[in-house]
Amino acid sequence: HVHRKDPGVAHVHRKDPGVAPVSQEDVERRELYRWCHNQRQLEKLGTLRADRKTRLLKIGFILDRQEAAWDQSLEELRLVAESNGGTAHVLRNDPERLELGRWCATQRTLEERGDLRADRKARLL
Protein backbone atom coordinates (compact mmCIF):
# COMPACT_ATOMS: atom_id res chain seq x y z
CA HIS A 1 0.00 0.00 0.00
CA VAL A 2 1.45 3.39 -0.98
CA HIS A 3 0.44 6.76 0.38
CA ARG A 4 0.50 9.25 -2.48
CA LYS A 5 -0.77 12.19 -0.47
CA ASP A 6 1.87 12.12 2.26
CA PRO A 7 5.48 11.96 1.03
CA GLY A 8 6.64 11.85 4.67
CA VAL A 9 5.14 8.39 5.10
CA ALA A 10 7.40 5.39 4.79
CA HIS A 11 5.68 2.04 4.46
CA VAL A 12 7.64 -0.74 5.98
CA HIS A 13 5.74 -3.68 4.53
CA ARG A 14 3.48 -3.25 1.53
CA LYS A 15 2.19 -6.80 1.37
CA ASP A 16 0.36 -6.40 4.66
CA PRO A 17 -2.05 -3.44 4.55
CA GLY A 18 -2.54 -3.85 8.29
CA VAL A 19 0.98 -2.64 8.98
CA ALA A 20 0.88 0.98 10.03
CA PRO A 21 2.90 3.51 8.05
CA VAL A 22 5.93 5.01 9.71
CA SER A 23 5.86 8.80 9.74
CA GLN A 24 8.60 11.30 10.49
CA GLU A 25 6.28 12.94 13.03
CA ASP A 26 5.65 9.67 14.89
CA VAL A 27 7.95 10.21 17.87
CA GLU A 28 7.82 6.59 19.01
CA ARG A 29 8.81 5.28 15.59
CA ARG A 30 11.08 8.09 14.39
CA GLU A 31 14.14 5.87 14.61
CA LEU A 32 12.48 3.30 12.36
CA TYR A 33 11.49 6.06 9.93
CA ARG A 34 15.11 7.22 9.74
CA TRP A 35 16.32 3.67 9.23
CA CYS A 36 13.81 3.18 6.37
CA HIS A 37 14.89 6.48 4.86
CA ASN A 38 18.55 5.46 5.09
CA GLN A 39 17.89 2.16 3.31
CA ARG A 40 16.21 4.04 0.46
CA GLN A 41 19.09 6.51 0.24
CA LEU A 42 21.62 3.69 0.13
CA GLU A 43 19.62 2.08 -2.69
CA LYS A 44 19.50 5.37 -4.64
CA LEU A 45 23.25 5.74 -4.27
CA GLY A 46 23.80 2.14 -5.32
CA THR A 47 25.50 1.28 -2.05
CA LEU A 48 22.84 -0.90 -0.42
CA ARG A 49 24.40 -4.34 0.06
CA ALA A 50 22.82 -6.98 -2.18
CA ASP A 51 22.03 -9.31 0.73
CA ARG A 52 20.23 -6.53 2.60
CA LYS A 53 18.33 -5.48 -0.50
CA THR A 54 17.22 -9.08 -1.02
CA ARG A 55 16.03 -9.34 2.58
CA LEU A 56 14.16 -6.03 2.36
CA LEU A 57 12.47 -6.98 -0.90
CA LYS A 58 11.57 -10.38 0.54
CA ILE A 59 9.43 -8.71 3.24
CA GLY A 60 7.85 -6.33 0.73
CA PHE A 61 9.82 -3.23 1.72
CA ILE A 62 9.33 -0.43 -0.78
CA LEU A 63 12.73 0.89 -1.82
CA ASP A 64 11.43 3.36 -4.40
CA ARG A 65 8.14 4.93 -3.33
CA GLN A 66 7.71 6.83 -6.61
CA GLU A 67 8.10 3.63 -8.60
CA ALA A 68 5.68 1.86 -6.27
CA ALA A 69 3.10 4.64 -6.72
CA TRP A 70 3.51 4.40 -10.51
CA ASP A 71 3.03 0.63 -10.34
CA GLN A 72 -0.08 1.08 -8.21
CA SER A 73 -1.57 3.50 -10.74
CA LEU A 74 -0.80 1.10 -13.57
CA GLU A 75 -2.56 -1.68 -11.67
CA GLU A 76 -5.60 0.59 -11.13
CA LEU A 77 -5.64 1.33 -14.86
CA ARG A 78 -5.40 -2.39 -15.64
CA LEU A 79 -8.43 -3.04 -13.41
CA VAL A 80 -10.38 -0.28 -15.18
CA ALA A 81 -9.53 -1.83 -18.54
CA GLU A 82 -10.52 -5.27 -17.29
CA SER A 83 -13.91 -4.00 -16.12
CA ASN A 84 -14.48 -2.07 -19.40
CA GLY A 85 -13.86 -4.90 -21.84
CA GLY A 86 -10.23 -4.00 -22.45
CA THR A 87 -10.67 -0.21 -22.73
CA ALA A 88 -8.40 1.67 -20.35
CA HIS A 89 -9.42 5.22 -21.19
CA VAL A 90 -9.71 7.42 -18.10
CA LEU A 91 -10.40 11.14 -18.32
CA ARG A 92 -8.53 13.63 -16.16
CA ASN A 93 -11.80 15.03 -14.77
CA ASP A 94 -13.58 11.71 -14.17
CA PRO A 95 -15.20 12.36 -10.76
CA GLU A 96 -14.88 8.69 -9.75
CA ARG A 97 -11.20 8.46 -10.66
CA LEU A 98 -9.70 11.93 -10.31
CA GLU A 99 -6.27 10.80 -9.16
CA LEU A 100 -6.04 8.05 -11.79
CA GLY A 101 -7.27 10.46 -14.46
CA ARG A 102 -4.54 12.94 -13.57
CA TRP A 103 -1.96 10.15 -13.63
CA CYS A 104 -3.13 9.07 -17.10
CA ALA A 105 -2.99 12.67 -18.34
CA THR A 106 0.56 12.96 -17.02
CA GLN A 107 1.60 9.77 -18.82
CA ARG A 108 0.06 11.08 -22.07
CA THR A 109 1.89 14.40 -21.69
CA LEU A 110 5.19 12.66 -20.99
CA GLU A 111 4.68 10.48 -24.08
CA GLU A 112 3.84 13.50 -26.28
CA ARG A 113 7.01 15.26 -25.11
CA GLY A 114 9.10 12.13 -25.59
CA ASP A 115 9.85 12.01 -21.86
CA LEU A 116 8.05 8.79 -20.95
CA ARG A 117 10.62 6.18 -19.93
CA ALA A 118 10.84 3.32 -22.42
CA ASP A 119 10.19 0.66 -19.76
CA ARG A 120 7.05 2.44 -18.61
CA LYS A 121 5.85 3.00 -22.17
CA ALA A 122 6.20 -0.73 -22.86
CA ARG A 123 4.20 -1.56 -19.75
CA LEU A 124 1.44 0.84 -20.78
CA LEU A 125 1.07 -0.72 -24.22
Side-chain angles (χ1 to χ4, degrees):
H1 180 352
V2 178
H3 269 286
R4 292 187 190 159
K5 305 263 189 249
D6 185 356
V9 172
H11 284 272
V12 177
H13 197 294
R14 79 171 177 195
K15 291 180 183 171
D16 183 356
V19 174
V22 180
S23 173
Q24 193 170 2
E25 286 76 36
D26 185 347
V27 176
E28 293 177 10
R29 297 166 84 183
R30 189 172 290 150
E31 196 171 313
L32 178 57
Y33 172 85
R34 288 185 184 136
W35 181 86
C36 291
H37 175 77
N38 288 341
Q39 302 317 298
R40 290 185 178 104
Q41 290 304 110
L42 290 170
E43 172 63 13
K44 277 184 186 177
L45 296 170
T47 57
L48 182 61
R49 286 184 6 207
D51 63 315
R52 289 184 178 177
K53 180 176 180 176
T54 299
R55 288 169 55 198
L56 287 168
L57 293 174
K58 193 173 189 176
I59 65 164
F61 186 86
I62 298 171
L63 286 168
D64 186 333
R65 291 184 292 176
Q66 287 180 336
E67 194 68 26
W70 195 93
D71 289 343
Q72 181 181 3
S73 294
L74 180 62
E75 178 61 16
E76 289 175 39
L77 184 61
R78 188 192 65 74
L79 292 173
V80 167
E82 196 175 275
S83 67
N84 289 329
T87 303
H89 189 72
V90 179
L91 299 174
R92 179 188 342 207
N93 56 357
D94 180 344
E96 293 181 19
R97 298 184 180 97
L98 283 176
E99 199 169 323
L100 182 58
R102 288 183 191 121
W103 180 83
C104 289
T106 298
Q107 304 316 301
R108 286 184 203 108
T109 300
L110 289 169
E111 168 59 20
E112 289 166 4
R113 291 191 326 215
D115 293 334
L116 184 61
R117 286 182 5 205
D119 63 313
R120 288 183 172 180
K121 183 176 179 177
R123 291 175 67 198
L124 283 166
L125 299 175

